[in-house]
Structure formats: structure tokens, C-alpha cells
Amino acid sequence: MSREKIAAYAGAVASIVEVEGQAERTADELFRVARAFESNDQLRTTLSDATIPSDRRQQVVEQLLGGRANATTVHVVGFLVATGNVRDLPAIVDSVVQRLARGRDQHVAEVRSAIALTSEQEQRLAAALSKATGKTVDLKVVVDPSVLGGLVATVGDEVIDGTVRSRLDQLKTLI
Amino acid sequence: MRWITLLASEDPTVTHHWLLPETPEIIYGGLASLIVVSALVKFAGPSIKKGFVGRTERIQKEIDDAASAKSRAEDDARGIRSALGDVASERARMLQEADRQAEALLAEGRARIAAEVADLEAKAEADIAAARGRSADELRSQIAVLASRATPIVVEASLTDAARKDLVESFISGVGAAR
């Protein structure tokens, strides 16, 4: 999908999310779905498989997200599956999240952690990142066991990497 | 004819001595001998003398030839002796030359062998050093591979929830203290 097309879909989805309310929560859910889609090969293959009828794939989406995500999130993901654009789900969702954050005069801070963070930790982390970058950040936390420990935060072009994985990679390079 | 008759008329049985002839016979015989000798001297003497002279000359020539041959033989002998001396000196010279060449070859061979041995030793030392370096590199590489494989496993195994929470807190504190 072209960048223009992604931007067009992202604009449309962002508008729907904002109109439907609970934009921040929906953005968080879409962000998590996008990260799960990226990291889970089986999910990506299943939702992208054109040989599986679109209705069946939408049912899979509803079974996975139903009850755990709000209706807007389910509908947006189902819409992208139905239109055959689910492969671009991460790019569209990232663009949506950034649009929504910019609408609140914020910058998306994608944080990867080996363990789930508490709300209190997220608040302190958001405050720390805002202080460090000089930007008001919209924190999006992804639980990623591959980082082993610590956190890596990406705010725009800035990357603050404090993960055990990166230390091990540095050590491997030194060895 | 008369002489013959006279001789024939003589009686052979009458002699004066059992050994010596009669005086006339001596006289006649002596004259005849003188005549014969004179004739021989007159007619055969020159040729005999010439023959003797020729023989003398021939003998002298043979003597001279023999002397010449002897001289030549002596010259040849001297030449041979000289040649033998030359041969001996040449033999000695050749032996000396052979000894010198053998010594030179030996020295050259020793030097070449010494150089080859030194070269081989240098190559062997270089090979040993290279092999040692390769072994050390391989060992380091294997250690690095094993360490790079083992480290994440060990680290992950040692990362408890408490340690992970500490790391998160450490990150938040560190980022917050950055500015």
C-alpha cells in the first residue's frame, strides 16, 4: 500500500475513533493489536490469507478481541481485514495513534518492556520521558519478552535504550 | 805346354821330404801365388777396397743412423720423461683442482644446506606461530560464540521479576534524571 493510501486510511480511522469517543483507549487497543499482529506470525498469516473468506477472518477478529476491546477497535480491525488491507494494519494504526496524539499536542512514546508496567510506573515513565525529550508524550507500552529486561523508549526519532537485550548485543559485539 | 809336360813328367813317388814340397814346386808355387796375388791385388783389389770402403761407409752410416736413432730415442726418452713429469704435474694439478673444487662444492653445499635449514626453521617457526595464532583465534572465536550463546541464557535465567522491576525503575529514574 502506498504512503498516501496509508495516510488516507489512517485519517479515516482516526476520524472514526475520535467521533466514536474513548479515542485514547481505542488508540491504545489498536496499538496493542498492531504490535501483536507484528509479532505473531500465525495471526498475521491467518488474517492476511486471501483463501480464507473475509467473513471467517472477521469472525476470528471478533473472537480474539470481543470482550477485551471496545467495539470501535473490533470494527476498525474487521474493516481492514474486510478490505484486504490488514497487512498494513501496523502502519495504519501507528499513523492513527500519531494523528490522535498530535491532536492532543502530544508525541507518541512507544515503550517496550519485558514485563507489564503498573499505571503508576507508566505515569512516572511518561513524566520522565516528557522531561527528557521536552515533549508531552502519549505512552504506548508493548510487552516484549525479547528485550529480556529494562525498557526501550522511542519518541519520534529519539531512542532511549536501557534493555538487557541491547546490553547483550553490545557485549556480543565486543566479544 | 812345356810346363805342363814338365810337371807331368815328374815322378810323384820320388820326394825329398815327406812333408815339404820340392824346391821347384815351392818356387813355381810361390811365383804362381805371387802372380795370383798380384792379379788379385791389381784386378780385384780396387773392387775389394771399394767394397770395404762401401762397407765401411755403410757401417759408418749404420753407426751414424744408430747414433741418430739413439739420439732420437734419447730425445724421445727425454720427451717421454718430460711428458711423464708433465703428466705427473698435471695429475697433481688436476688432483689439486679436484680437491679445490670438491672443497668448494662441499663448502657451497654446507652453506646451501645451512641456508635451507635456516629457511626451513624460519618457515617452521612462522608456521608454528601462525598455527598458534590461528588456534588462539579459533579458541577466542569459539569462546566468543559460546559466551554469546550462553550469556543471554544465563542472564535470562537470572532475571527474576524483582530484577526486571528494578531495571524498569532504574530506567525511569535514569530517564527522569537525564535533564
Side-chain angles (χ1 to χ4, degrees), chain A residues 84-151:
Chain A
N85 293 313
V86 75
R87 285 184 183 279
D88 296 306
L89 175 67
I92 292 168
V93 167
D94 287 347
S95 183
V96 168
V97 170
Q98 285 171 7
R99 281 169 184 266
L100 293 174
R102 276 201 300 272
R104 296 191 298 273
D105 198 22
Q106 292 179 330
H107 292 81
V108 175
E110 181 184 318
V111 175
R112 289 180 177 272
S113 170
I115 56 173
L117 303 183
T118 63
S119 300
E120 187 267 337
Q121 282 176 320
E122 287 186 5
Q123 286 174 5
R124 284 195 289 119
L125 179 58
L129 288 172
S130 295
K131 185 180 174 188
T133 60
K135 301 169 185 172
T136 305
V137 299
D138 178 13
L139 201 65
K140 303 295 181 192
V141 179
V142 180
V143 176
D144 183 357
S146 69
V147 302
L148 298 178
L151 301 171

Side-chain angles (χ1 to χ4, degrees), chain A residues 113-115 117 121 124-125 128-129 131-134 148-151 153 160-162 164 168 171-172 175, chain B residues 140 143-145 147-149 151-152 155-156 159 161 164-165 167-169 171-173 175-179:
Chain A
S113 170
I115 56 173
L117 303 183
Q121 282 176 320
R124 284 195 289 119
L125 179 58
L129 288 172
K131 185 180 174 188
T133 60
L148 298 178
L151 301 171
I160 305 169
D161 196 341
V164 175
L168 288 174
L171 182 64
K172 193 184 289 184
I175 291 173
Chain B
R140 273 195 289 272
I143 290 170
V145 169
S148 65
R149 286 179 185 169
T151 305
V155 169
E156 192 171 0
L159 276 175
D161 284 346
R164 285 192 169 95
K165 285 176 184 172
L167 285 169
V168 169
E169 289 300 329
F171 182 87
I172 293 170
S173 302
V175 171
R179 281 192 182 178

Side-chain angles (χ1 to χ4, degrees), chain B residues 7-156:
Chain B
L7 287 171
S9 63
E10 190 176 0
D11 185 358
T13 60
V14 180
T15 59
H16 298 285
H17 193 271
W18 63 275
L19 181 61
L20 296 174
E22 294 296 326
T23 302
E25 285 180 358
I26 293 171
I27 293 169
Y28 299 145
L31 287 172
S33 297
L34 187 63
I35 292 166
V36 169
V37 167
S38 298
L40 284 172
V41 168
K42 183 173 177 70
F43 297 107
S47 63
I48 291 169
K49 187 179 180 183
K50 189 180 178 182
F52 276 123
V53 169
R55 186 166 173 270
T56 302
E57 287 177 352
R58 192 169 63 251
I59 290 168
Q60 186 61 46
K61 185 175 180 295
E62 287 177 357
I63 290 168
D64 291 344
D65 289 345
S68 177
K70 183 186 175 190
S71 176
R72 281 200 305 275
E74 286 175 352
D75 288 344
D76 289 345
R78 276 196 298 275
I80 289 167
R81 279 194 293 275
S82 173
L84 282 172
D86 291 345
V87 167
S89 65
E90 182 67 15
R91 177 172 169 270
R93 191 190 63 75
M94 287 174 73
L95 285 172
Q96 283 183 344
E97 180 67 16
D99 287 345
R100 191 187 60 75
Q101 289 184 356
E103 190 64 33
L105 282 171
L106 198 59
E108 185 187 348
R110 283 186 187 135
R112 193 175 65 247
I113 288 169
E116 287 177 359
V117 167
D119 192 31
L120 287 172
E121 284 178 351
K123 282 181 181 173
E125 286 177 3
D127 288 346
I128 290 167
R132 193 182 295 138
R134 279 197 303 273
S135 299
D137 289 344
E138 287 174 7
L139 187 60
R140 273 195 289 272
S141 175
Q142 287 179 359
I143 290 170
V145 169
L146 291 173
S148 65
R149 286 179 185 169
T151 305
I153 297 169
V154 173
V155 169
E156 192 171 0

